[in-house]
Amino acid sequence: MNRSVLTYILIIGIAGTAGTTTGIIGKSIFGQEVIDYTGFNPEEFRADGAALLQQYNQNPNGKYSAAELVAIGLEKYRSCENSYSIGTGLASTVVAQTIRNFQIKNGDRYFEESMSKSSMVGVANRAIQDGKDGDITLYLGKPTSAEVANFSENGKVYTKEDYKNLSGKTLDEMFIYLISNKSVLADGTEIKKSSDKIEVTLNLNPDIATYYYKVQMKSISNLDRLPSFKYSKHTYTFDKNMMLKHALVDEEYSASMGITVNIHNTINYSYYANEYMEIPKYNTPLNYSLKGEN
């Protein structure tokens, strides 16, 4: 297996067209669809979660679209004083690769761990942000298993702006996808309500909603160009009060660095709102089998 292929199986984060009004133009390079984002303003495709949550608090029985409900639930989770989430999944490409993600919020301190490992290679990152406007320290590590890694004690400090250019989001933003009425496709998007939960499935526009995720993968993995998404489908589960409980991400994309490979991710996330977990030191392992009140 050549080095390019080995690199590709580390391109893990975390069909439809964008339309001419977005400033996005599709073209083909060596058989792979490439999107030209010249003139594209991604923030135009992000819902105002704070305003929607305020509206929902005043009128929870109002009529909200699927994308608006998700934006409300994500913002409600983000506004919790304390929280943590656990993500576990699998990437299928040349070889199977495990995916792990852990996020912790303690007041205005934020932590995130992302790891991916196969039988061939592995990568691990940890980041800590002190304050919503604070700098972010990134620690690089080497996985020893799917859920444990050895991290360097010498982290690199980034400003929020520089870190977002590298990773597509800051830690306080928590969620990397652009969610709004303008970033989802009608086909495959639906809302299911019962007495104790609300389930929302979004079929995201693969050119729009994944923009920052693409930026993250290109920057971290040094790709030839932004990856191309075939689809990105999310299912969010909220309790009856719109507090986020679970999410399932199912997506497929291709990425290029000398060669082009297809990657299929499936990741399950569990969210624990209003639960405190201490942010670990740079090299303290986390427990991915931990279950809170969810």
Side-chain angles (χ1 to χ4, degrees), residues 21-174:
T21 60
T22 65
I24 298 174
I25 301 172
K27 58 184 178 181
S28 178
I29 296 180
F30 301 119
Q32 181 189 2
E33 182 187 23
V34 176
I35 305 300
D36 183 356
Y37 285 95
T38 302
F40 174 68
N41 179 6
E43 293 305 311
E44 291 182 1
F45 299 90
R46 188 194 302 278
D48 188 338
L52 282 168
L53 179 57
Q54 182 179 20
Q55 180 182 345
Y56 180 85
N57 288 336
Q58 295 170 350
N59 182 20
N61 296 318
K63 186 176 182 180
Y64 301 96
S65 69
E68 288 170 341
L69 282 175
V70 170
I72 289 165
L74 299 189
E75 183 65 24
K76 188 168 186 175
Y77 179 80
R78 288 179 66 244
S79 66
C80 294
E81 181 71 8
N82 299 296
S83 65
Y84 68 92
S85 68
I86 301 173
T88 61
L90 188 69
S92 300
T93 178
V94 179
V95 295
Q97 188 162 352
T98 58
I99 301 169
R100 298 292 185 267
N101 178 266
F102 216 116
Q103 289 183 331
I104 303 173
K105 178 186 178 185
N106 294 167
D108 64 351
R109 296 190 73 229
Y110 302 84
F111 167 91
E112 182 168 5
E113 174 177 272
S114 297
M115 291 199 296
S116 187
K117 190 177 189 306
S118 73
S119 59
M120 304 289 294
V121 289
V123 64
N125 295 324
R126 277 189 173 183
I128 295 178
Q129 179 179 337
D130 286 306
K132 288 188 176 181
D133 296 320
D135 291 339
I136 298 171
T137 304
L138 177 65
Y139 299 89
L140 303 180
K142 183 177 181 180
T144 58
S145 70
E147 300 179 352
V148 178
N150 289 323
F151 290 91
S152 169
E153 62 180 323
N154 299 314
K156 183 175 181 179
V157 179
Y158 293 85
T159 65
K160 284 188 69 174
E161 180 180 2
D162 287 343
Y163 189 82
K164 184 160 184 172
N165 289 336
L166 174 71
S167 293
K169 68 173 180 63
T170 56
L171 273 63
D172 59 297
E173 290 178 306
M174 291 189 178

Side-chain angles (χ1 to χ4, degrees), residues 79-284:
S79 66
C80 294
E81 181 71 8
N82 299 296
S83 65
Y84 68 92
S85 68
I86 301 173
T88 61
L90 188 69
S92 300
T93 178
V94 179
V95 295
Q97 188 162 352
T98 58
I99 301 169
R100 298 292 185 267
N101 178 266
F102 216 116
Q103 289 183 331
I104 303 173
K105 178 186 178 185
N106 294 167
D108 64 351
R109 296 190 73 229
Y110 302 84
F111 167 91
E112 182 168 5
E113 174 177 272
S114 297
M115 291 199 296
S116 187
K117 190 177 189 306
S118 73
S119 59
M120 304 289 294
V121 289
V123 64
N125 295 324
R126 277 189 173 183
I128 295 178
Q129 179 179 337
D130 286 306
K132 288 188 176 181
D133 296 320
D135 291 339
I136 298 171
T137 304
L138 177 65
Y139 299 89
L140 303 180
K142 183 177 181 180
T144 58
S145 70
E147 300 179 352
V148 178
N150 289 323
F151 290 91
S152 169
E153 62 180 323
N154 299 314
K156 183 175 181 179
V157 179
Y158 293 85
T159 65
K160 284 188 69 174
E161 180 180 2
D162 287 343
Y163 189 82
K164 184 160 184 172
N165 289 336
L166 174 71
S167 293
K169 68 173 180 63
T170 56
L171 273 63
D172 59 297
E173 290 178 306
M174 291 189 178
F175 304 101
I176 199 165
Y177 296 90
L178 294 167
I179 305 294
S180 71
N181 289 330
K182 296 187 288 185
S183 69
V184 301
L185 304 173
D187 184 26
T189 292
E190 62 179 346
I191 302 170
K192 294 180 181 179
K193 294 184 178 182
S194 65
S195 60
D196 61 346
K197 69 179 181 179
I198 300 170
E199 186 176 279
V200 183
T201 300
L202 298 181
N203 183 14
L204 300 179
N205 184 310
D207 297 331
I208 295 175
T210 63
Y211 173 75
Y212 283 123
Y213 191 24
K214 291 180 177 184
V215 170
Q216 178 190 88
M217 287 190 285
K218 181 178 185 298
S219 175
I220 292 176
S221 300
N222 195 29
L223 302 180
D224 295 338
R225 47 191 172 270
L226 295 177
S228 176
F229 274 71
K230 182 178 180 180
Y231 67 85
S232 184
K233 298 177 182 179
H234 297 188
T235 299
Y236 297 89
T237 303
F238 307 93
D239 68 15
K240 62 182 180 181
N241 298 313
M242 283 303 299
M243 182 56 75
L244 180 62
K245 293 294 184 180
H246 301 281
L248 170 64
V249 173
D250 179 4
E251 57 196 7
E252 185 176 336
Y253 55 91
S254 60
S256 298
M257 189 197 309
I259 63 170
T260 298
V261 295
N262 294 319
I263 301 169
H264 178 209
N265 287 349
T266 53
I267 312 174
N268 281 283
Y269 296 94
S270 295
Y271 298 90
Y272 302 94
N274 299 310
E275 292 196 34
Y276 177 83
M277 176 176 289
E278 184 177 0
I279 290 176
K281 295 182 180 179
Y282 77 93
N283 214 22
T284 302

